[in-house]
Amino acid sequence: MKINEPFVEKILTAFIREELSKFNYKKGILGISGGLDSAVCASLAAKALKPSNVIGLIMPYGESFSEDVKDAQEFSRLLKIRSRTINISPMVDAYFSSYPTKNKILKGNKIARERMSILYDFSAREKALILGTSNKTELLLGYGTIHGDMACGINPLGDLYKNQIRQLAEYLGIPEEIRKKVPSAGLWVGQTDEEEIGLSYDEIDKILHQLVDKRTPKKDIIASGFKKETVEKIIRLIKNSEFKRKLPPIPKISSRSVGHDFLFPFDWDK
Amino acid sequence: MKIALAQISPHLGNVKKNVDMHLKYIEKAKKKNVDLLIFPELSLTGYTLKDLVAEVALSPDSDPFFDELKTASRDVSLVFGFVEEKERGLFYNSAAFLSEGKILHIHRKVFLPTYGMFEEGKFFALGKNFHTFSTPYGKAGMMICRDFLNYGACYLLFAGGSEVIIVISAAPGRGIQDKEAYETSRMWESMGETISLFSTAFLIYCNRVGFEDGKHFSGGSFIYDPMGKMVAKASYLDNEFLLQEINLDDIREVRKKWPYKRDDRPEIILEALKRIIGKYED
C-alpha cells in the first residue's frame, strides 16, 4: 500500500488544476477542521493553485474544539491561504431549540450539513469550487454524513486510504501536531473514528486493500490472519453504505431516463 | 525518417477545438521537418464519450474537418484517432493514416474493452481486421490501445509484413505503487519491448495525458527499435511533443541476425487455428 508521494502529489495537484480550469474556476474552497485529511487537501490545493486562490473555512460548533480551531488557523497561515472562521452554534442551536434531541448522531449529522450549507453558500459568493476531503477508507465504510461532509465539487483524496494520506501528509510537511492527532469527525467531544467504527485504521485499511484493490476472497483474508468478525463487519459496512456512493434511484418509465440510459460524461465539452 | 508523437489531452466532445489543436501540432511538426506525426486514440473527440459518440462521428469521405487534415497531410503524414461513421448509424473507434493528401488506411478497433471502468462495447461497433499497408516509409500496421494487448493482433501485423507498427492509445493509469509510475504502464512497455524484438520491427506507441471524469491517462508514449530497445520515451504526466529520428535500414540489419520474419509459418498457424476453432462446442 506504500505510495510514491511525489508521483501522487503531481497527479492530485494536476487533477485539482485541470478540473478547476475545465469548469472555469480560479478558486477552490474547503472546510478545514484542524485534522489530517483537510490539511492534506488544503496543502495540495495551495500547491495546485496560488495559495491566495484557496479559501479555508473553519467552522467550529461551540467552544469545545478550540484546540482544533487554533491548529486550523495556524495551518492556514502557514500555507498562506485565505481563511475565515465561522461559528455555527447559532444556526445549529436555533434548530435544536425547536426540535431537541439527545441523539449524538442526529446532532452530528446536522452539524456536518450546516457546514456543507455554508461551504456551498461561500462557493457561490466566491465563485470557488468545493474540494472534498473524504478519503477512500471513509467512502468505502460510509463513515461520513451524506450531503454533509461527503458533499463536494471534486474529491482529490477519494482514492487514497487513511494510511496513504498519512504518508502523503508527512511528505507534504504537514505539522506534527496535526499528523499525530487521533482521527476524529469532530462532531462531539471525545468522538474518535476508530472507537466509533470499533476497529483501527491500520487494520481496516489492510482488509479494505485486500477486499477492494486485490479482490481477495473473504475466506483467504480470514485465513491470512484477520478475525472473521472483523472482516465481516467491514463487508457489512461497505454494503450498508452503498447509497452514500450513488445518486438516488429513479424509477425508469420513459424511453430515456436520467441515471439509466441518458449517458454523458461529467467533463462534457470541457 | 523523423517521427513526432503528440502526447496531448483532447477536449472531450469538441471536434472543432481538437482539429485546431491538431493543426497547431502539424505546424510545429512541419517546422521540425517531421515525416510522420502521430496523435493518440480518439484524438479528435476525447475518450469518455458515452452518448456523445453519434454527435462527434465523422465520415472520412465527406467531412470538412477530414478534408482539412487531408490537405495538411501533403506536408506531413498523420495518424490520429476519431469516431468513424462508416455506414449510417455504425460507429467505430478508428485510426486514420493520412499521407500526401490521401487516406492510406483506416483501422477500426477490434478489441473494445468492456469491463470494469471500460464500456466501449456499449457504444462502438467492432472492427474486423488487422491490415498491413504501404506508406512512403515502408509497410505499416495500426492498432488501437487494447488491440495491442492481444498478441494475435500483433502477430497479424507481423505476418502481414508491417515494418512500422503504430499503436495509438487512451490508456488510463491504474495502480499506485512505490514508484513514479502507475502499475499499468509496465504492461504497455513490456508489450512494446516484446513485440518490437520478436517482430524485428519499429514499435511506436502514442498515449494521451489529462483527466476525463477522474480517469487519468498515463502518457508514457514510446518508440522501440527493431532490436527491442527503447529509443524514445515521453513522461507519464505531461503534454509532450516527442521527436525521434529512426532509420528503417535497422530492420534489414536486425533481420540478417534474427530471421524471425523469414522463418514465420503463417500457413501452419492458420491450419492449427482452424483445428482449434473446429473443436469449439456449440
Side-chain angles (χ1 to χ4, degrees), chain B residues 91-236:
Chain B
F91 307 105
Y92 294 84
N93 179 344
S94 293
F97 192 116
L98 271 46
S99 189
E100 295 167 353
K102 295 189 293 285
I103 300 173
L104 296 192
H105 184 59
I106 290 176
H107 170 67
R108 301 175 182 101
K109 189 170 185 177
V110 174
F111 294 98
L112 298 169
T114 307
Y115 63 93
M117 66 194 286
F118 302 105
E119 42 187 23
E120 289 180 39
K122 248 167 105 169
F123 300 103
F124 290 113
L126 204 69
K128 294 186 184 69
N129 198 15
F130 291 95
H131 179 65
T132 296
F133 54 98
S134 294
T135 78
Y137 327 101
K139 289 191 280 181
M142 297 193 288
M143 290 185 275
I144 304 175
C145 205
R146 179 66 174 73
D147 287 339
F148 181 44
L149 302 180
N150 183 286
Y151 45 72
C154 298
Y155 173 74
L156 290 172
L157 293 184
F158 168 65
S162 290
E163 296 165 322
V164 179
I165 297 172
I166 299 162
V167 183
I168 65 170
S169 195
R174 281 153 284 154
I176 39 170
Q177 51 183 349
D178 193 11
K179 259 169 77 172
E180 284 216 31
Y182 285 109
E183 283 168 17
T184 44
S185 292
R186 184 180 161 266
M187 96 194 163
W188 300 105
E189 287 154 22
S190 61
M191 235 17 212
E193 180 176 357
T194 306
I195 298 305
S196 61
L197 180 60
F198 295 103
S199 310
T200 49
F202 282 97
L203 193 297
I204 303 168
Y205 172 83
C206 186
N207 194 19
R208 57 162 292 182
V209 289
F211 292 89
E212 281 180 6
D213 291 17
K215 281 193 289 294
H216 186 215
F217 299 96
S218 58
S221 302
F222 55 71
I223 301 176
Y224 277 90
D225 75 9
M227 284 77 84
K229 201 177 116 229
M230 189 186 270
V231 292
K233 167 95 185 275
S235 88
Y236 291 122

Side-chain angles (χ1 to χ4, degrees), chain A residues 4-5 7-8 27 29 38 64 71 91 96 98 100 141 150 167 173 190 205 219 246 264:
Chain A
N4 183 289
E5 298 92 346
F7 189 61
V8 172
K27 293 186 264 182
I29 187 167
S38 60
S64 325
D71 289 341
M91 305 70 140
F96 285 113
S98 302
L141 298 183
M150 296 179 90
Q167 282 177 52
D205 283 355
K219 64 173 177 36
K246 290 268 164 66
F264 289 93

